[in-house]
Amino acid sequence: MIDYIIVGAGLFGSVFAQQATAHGKKCLVIDKRTHIAGNIYTKIDNNTGILKHVYGPHIFHTSDEIVWNYVNNYAKFSLFINSPIAIYKSEIYNLPFNMNTFNKLWGVVTPYEAKEYIKRNTVDFSTKRPKNLEEQAIALVGMELYTKLIKGYTEKQWGKPCNSLPASIINRLPLRFNYDNNYFCDTYQGIPKDGYTKMIQNMLTGIPVELETNYLEFAKHHSKLVKNAKKIIYTGKLDEYFNYCYGKLDYRSLKFEDKVLDMDNYQGVAVVNFTEKNIKQTRIIEHRHFDSKFHSSIDKTLISYEYPEEYRDENSEYPNDPYYPVNDKSNNCIAEQYKMLRKNVSPNVIFGGRLAEYKYYDMDKVIVSAIRAVKMEFGTLK
């Protein structure tokens, strides 16, 4: 007998499985991939010895002490301050948008000068709310910064014109009037010294895990086991669980191309954003910079080109993985229908994580959501 079947060995599923086991429950974790840890999967590159973020850079950051203490039970973290740069037509700009960025763009030196410049060059939407991302960006920072550093990158990332994307997306980009290049404002920031895969492995110690296992197929062949389980923890696609009865939700995907270069330092920083639309990649990631103390025994470095893609499901000729929910108005309406359905049809299923909740979560927020589910189920966090 299995008390909880956890579908997905990413953050949400692993946190819940660890906690359910700590509460004396018997769990089974299944995942359709060949590995645990979901999109935070890391592994050592055989050619360089560098720890590779396989599905793109993941920097853990939170101001929630409970979350920080929880992850530190399963990994030792190295401090990492994310300070990416953006390139537009050979010009280099600091991210997030701060006084270094504004000085490079406009020659301003003080916060007062920057604010006055922005005030003179932004569009006032005070009488009405910005209808889309383009209007929101111009209202925040003006046309020049929007054109150089936001428009091209965003349209590559989402595959749509900025004036058709929801204004809420641009709220994720911080705007600061200081000379601080730290992308995040959170109290705690870092990367597990041994990688995220090891952290997830530690969470799942003693818990059976079946990989390369599709839940819907598993449920068909093990219907009695599924029926007798107290609950299913589902972290897969929300629409897929309900057989797309209200239609398919949109997701964005990514493609990575890796290169090993005969040099010890290619770009001097972990992440470089390319903001021109005619340059296909959105970012180049140089993995060695995630560990400031890393010293390779050979003068080689590992870089990854990141390309946004349309999501292609398993029925496509070339399927890929869903990364980001497209939270525009039409998709959110469909998602709400599914969320109403799950309350009425599947009371014994807990839906959690980016795909199952159809939310664009940071890692710490996924853990917060998992902890909330644990407390609702068991009353306490162990």
Side-chain angles (χ1 to χ4, degrees):
M1 293 295 293
I2 301 294
D3 296 309
Y4 293 89
I5 298 175
I6 292 94
V7 184
L11 265 175
F12 188 100
S14 298
V15 170
F16 193 96
Q18 181 276 319
Q19 280 293 299
T21 302
H23 280 86
K25 306 301 180 182
K26 190 172 182 181
C27 296
L28 171 66
V29 177
I30 65 174
D31 198 295
K32 66 180 181 179
R33 284 177 166 168
T34 60
H35 58 77
I36 62 171
N39 283 356
I40 62 173
Y41 176 60
T42 52
K43 69 176 184 178
I44 297 294
D45 175 66
N46 292 331
N47 294 309
T48 61
I50 295 171
L51 186 68
K52 175 185 172 184
H53 292 225
V54 176
Y55 299 99
H58 286 85
I59 296 90
F60 198 91
H61 57 97
T62 187
S63 292
D64 190 321
E65 190 171 1
I66 293 174
V67 170
W68 183 245
N69 289 339
Y70 179 81
V71 294
N72 274 268
N73 288 327
Y74 303 98
K76 291 182 178 180
F77 280 74
S78 295
L79 175 66
F80 179 82
I81 301 300
N82 190 30
S83 302
I85 62 171
I87 294 180
Y88 177 82
K89 294 185 177 180
S90 300
E91 298 172 351
I92 295 177
Y93 297 93
N94 289 103
L95 298 175
F97 304 143
N98 63 52
M99 288 302 301
N100 290 306
T101 320
F102 306 146
N103 175 264
K104 185 71 176 284
L105 281 165
W106 309 315
V108 297
V109 175
T110 67
Y112 175 80
E113 291 175 309
K115 290 176 183 178
E116 286 299 302
Y117 188 95
I118 290 173
K119 187 185 297 184
R120 291 194 303 270
N121 290 277
T122 52
V123 176
D124 184 9
F125 287 94
S126 58
T127 59
K128 60 177 182 177
R129 297 180 65 182
K131 298 190 296 291
N132 53 57
L133 187 150
E134 182 170 279
E135 290 187 357
Q136 176 75 3
I138 296 171
L140 285 172
V141 295
M143 182 62 75
E144 183 182 6
L145 195 154
Y146 164 69
T147 301
K148 287 187 174 183
L149 300 182
I150 297 174
K151 180 177 170 62
Y153 183 95
T154 304
E155 291 184 348
K156 287 189 291 186
Q157 183 75 8
W158 294 101
K160 294 181 180 181
C162 285
N163 58 15
S164 69
L165 291 167
S168 58
I169 291 177
I170 207 68
N171 291 338
R172 289 177 58 85
L173 294 174
L175 184 66
R176 301 193 195 133
F177 294 94
N178 57 36
Y179 287 91
D180 184 1
N181 294 325
N182 184 350
Y183 197 85
F184 303 115
C185 294
D186 290 302
T187 306
Y188 310 106
Q189 303 179 42
I191 295 174
K193 290 183 177 181
D194 296 321
Y196 289 101
T197 303
K198 181 64 175 176
M199 182 180 80
I200 296 298
Q201 188 178 44
N202 290 339
M203 289 181 185
L204 296 176
T205 299
I207 302 171
V209 177
E210 294 187 14
L211 300 174
E212 298 182 86
T213 302
N214 181 288
Y215 170 68
L216 298 178
E217 291 297 317
F218 178 89
K220 287 179 185 178
H221 294 99
H222 300 86
S223 57
K224 187 176 180 180
L225 183 67
V226 172
K227 182 179 179 180
N228 289 334
K230 183 178 180 181
K231 283 190 178 174
I232 308 298
I233 313 304
Y234 182 78
T235 68
K237 293 191 300 175
L238 178 62
D239 51 352
E240 183 180 26
Y241 183 86
F242 293 106
N243 199 28
Y244 309 106
C245 64
Y246 293 127
K248 291 187 176 183
L249 292 165
D250 290 330
Y251 303 88
R252 289 292 285 171
S253 187
L254 296 172
K255 179 179 73 173
F256 298 93
E257 290 182 359
D258 300 334
K259 285 187 179 181
V260 175
L261 303 177
D262 292 323
M263 59 182 71
D264 63 357
N265 190 349
Y266 174 68
Q267 61 188 20
V269 67
V271 179
V272 175
N273 290 9
F274 293 84
T275 62
E276 294 172 73
K277 192 173 182 179
N278 63 330
I279 296 177
K280 290 184 179 181
Q281 73 265 18
T282 47
R283 301 192 286 190
I284 293 180
I285 304 144
E286 188 169 11
H287 298 269
R288 70 181 304 138
H289 294 294
F290 291 122
D291 184 356
S292 60
K293 296 180 180 178
F294 176 81
H295 297 286
S296 177
S297 59
I298 54 176
D299 290 334
K300 291 182 182 292
T301 192
L302 173 68
I303 65 171
S304 298
Y305 292 83
E306 181 178 309
Y307 303 96
E309 289 189 325
E310 291 291 332
Y311 167 62
R312 301 182 297 273
D313 66 23
E314 57 278 358
N315 296 317
S316 303
E317 184 177 2
Y318 300 105
N320 55 14
D321 295 316
Y323 280 76
Y324 309 112
V326 181
N327 290 122
D328 58 16
K329 186 175 181 180
S330 60
N331 279 292
N332 286 342
C333 286
I334 296 172
E336 284 305 312
Q337 290 179 285
Y338 283 121
K339 289 174 184 179
M340 291 297 295
L341 185 62
R342 75 187 188 189
K343 291 179 181 178
N344 299 325
V345 176
S346 304
N348 67 323
V349 181
I350 295 173
F351 293 80
R354 271 190 181 187
L355 301 182
E357 296 182 64
Y358 204 68
K359 288 184 179 179
Y360 188 38
Y361 275 141
D362 286 329
M363 286 183 285
D364 65 323
K365 300 303 186 296
V366 174
I367 294 175
V368 168
S369 179
I371 289 174
R372 187 183 303 120
V374 165
K375 288 183 176 179
M376 288 183 67
E377 191 71 7
F378 304 111
T380 60
L381 184 70
K382 284 200 172 184

